[in-house]
Amino acid sequence: MGERDEPAYAATEATAPGGPPSPALEATLAADGGGGAAPAAAVADGERYQLGGSIGAGGMGEVLSASDRRIGRDVAIKRTRTVPSPELAARFLREAQIQGRLDHPAIVPVYDLGVDDDGRPYFVMKRLAGTSLEAVLAAGPARGDGPHAAWSRRRLLAALVEVCLAIEFAHTRGVVHRDLKPANIMLGDFGEVYVLDWGVARVARDDGDERGGAEIVSLDGTGAGPTGTHAGAVLGTPGFMAPKQARGEPVSPRTDVYALGATLFEVLAGQPFARGRLDASDVDPAPSRRGAEVPPELDAICARALAPAPDDRFGSARALADEIQGYLDGDRDLERRRELARDHLAAARAALARPEASDARALAMRGAGQALALDPASAEAAALVSRLMLEPPAVTPPEVVAELHAADLVVVRRAARRSMWNFLALCSMIPVALYQGIHQPMAAVVFVTIAGAAAVNAYRVGHGSVAISRRRLYASFAINMLLVALLARAFGPFLVVPTVAAAALVSFAGLPLADRPALLATVASTAVVGPWLLELTGVTARSISFHEGHLIVRSASFAMQEVPMTVILVVHAVVVMFVAAYAAHGPSANGRAARDRLAIQAWQLRQMVSDPPSPSPDRDTNEA
């Protein structure tokens, strides 16, 4: 297989390579038509490179740290461990040429190519400082304060976008990497990203034929010669090879897309997609199925990149990069919204901490609402909104006071329109009194005048012609009780008058602005009992008396005849019942409607800001 180690960089001192190229390398260069620039003169000076310690080693090659004395910079030198055969020398040369011709910021540049004093070919490249993606992933998500602490998932995804673009660049030059994996991705200390190890890359021939083009193979000996590999040779790393690659079939750019998908899977899931497996067609490509918290967008990107059929994958590495970048752009906006939500939440809590401010509650409500709108998943914002909505403030805000007062006025005006008909009904009794014969015409005129004036006042209040105040409300009640007192002269204080007074008292006491029920009850009692006290003291003639166990009622205003009085008493009884029923029903209905609205609003709020409670498993579903 093509799986090899590409170690991180270190530095110690050693001897320098240099000298003329070996005959095998010269022959390879000649056969390749130069391939690039002839390196013989460039490395003739054996004092140019001062070698350091070993950075790492693969199957037949090793990487050393070094210093370029001519340029004055640190470099890395890759060379064979032993003097290679012409075939292996050619492969080594091809690897250097591929890496050197791919001039991209995410591909390590090659500076020089030569043969050391022992006849081992080498090439010089940029020396990197950083760590491999494999090491970062091995450290796990809880990286603490170690060397990998700065590599969040977001930064790793951004780095993978750079890798995808580097691979797309290689594909435009006819090169397929064939061994992409976390171990071959270097993350620099200063934000750089590099794709390493192009030793098993495949290069298409100039005529575009990808079935038998000039091949580059690694130093592990796999291949049939300096210009190709055995048909059906399997090169790559198990677990990262696409199905066709694992079967030794011709590869294409979508082969690298599959390996990029496997790398993305490991970044998201924290574990390899299919460790060591050549056939991974039955492995679930969704990283969220491995217990990781992965957004559905990234799940879908992974699944498409890891599709077994090449035509089902992304058409290019750039398309994969665009999808990941699109997610990152949206995620950046999401993170910004979360930051703003936290700011609004902090402002809401700060407002609640100073309840003495008149606008504290309003600022807290606005801040909490904005925080929840920006971040609907915020449990803290949802809890604060629920608290503010369901718990009343210690002091009612002025705006709410004004709104409640306006609602109270609506209720008073509606009651005034109803009472207007009550006054007109009282006036309707005058024709009956006239029919029976009136003893005190002036009293009748006064009664009709007061009742008419009260009806006009009720009309004006009910239709908004005059302002409503508590003083006007109590004045209207006093007029009602004056009429009740006048009725006492017509029917006696204890026959009809108490029920009329009680009906009026219930109607007025139920109004929102009537906040002194004891005063209303005192005035009503005076209207009923006062005329009787005047009779007891002799100020007015007696209207009631007892004779041989009978209560005798004498009207001071009109003569009582049986039929008319019977009608009056029956109508009075029926009217009083209806008045009492509607007087009691109005406030009760308004209260129930307000309660229902509040209950519905509270229920809707709970559905919006929290999960609905699950039904109790032992609850009887048939319970009434």
Side-chain angles (χ1 to χ4, degrees), residues 398-422:
E399 297 89 343
V400 177
V401 172
E403 292 176 5
L404 292 176
H405 181 69
D408 290 343
L409 296 184
V410 171
V411 174
V412 171
R413 294 187 189 281
R414 188 182 298 121
R417 290 193 293 269
R418 287 198 304 265
S419 68
M420 178 185 66
W421 298 104
N422 297 335

Side-chain angles (χ1 to χ4, degrees), residues 343-423:
D343 292 342
H344 285 299
L345 193 59
R349 287 173 173 163
L352 284 179
R354 48 184 185 86
E356 70 282 354
S358 59
D359 61 344
R361 185 81 176 194
L363 291 175
M365 288 292 296
R366 283 196 290 270
Q370 290 168 338
L372 188 61
L374 288 165
D375 186 9
S378 172
E380 293 178 300
L384 185 56
V385 168
S386 297
R387 171 189 163 193
L388 291 172
M389 290 292 290
L390 299 178
E391 295 180 3
V395 178
T396 304
E399 297 89 343
V400 177
V401 172
E403 292 176 5
L404 292 176
H405 181 69
D408 290 343
L409 296 184
V410 171
V411 174
V412 171
R413 294 187 189 281
R414 188 182 298 121
R417 290 193 293 269
R418 287 198 304 265
S419 68
M420 178 185 66
W421 298 104
N422 297 335
F423 294 126

Side-chain angles (χ1 to χ4, degrees), residues 11 25 39 43 50 74 148 150 185 290 332 335 344 350 387 391 399 424 530 551 607:
L25 184 56
V43 298
Q50 182 176 0
D74 293 331
H148 312 313
I185 297 173
R290 303 286 182 94
R332 183 183 301 113
E335 182 57 33
H344 285 299
R387 171 189 163 193
E391 295 180 3
E399 297 89 343
L424 294 177
L551 175 63
Q607 308 315 303

Side-chain angles (χ1 to χ4, degrees), residues 157 212 218 271 309 446 456 461 508 551 603:
L157 290 174
S218 61
Q271 53 184 285
V446 172
V456 171
V461 170
F508 273 86
L551 175 63
W603 177 84

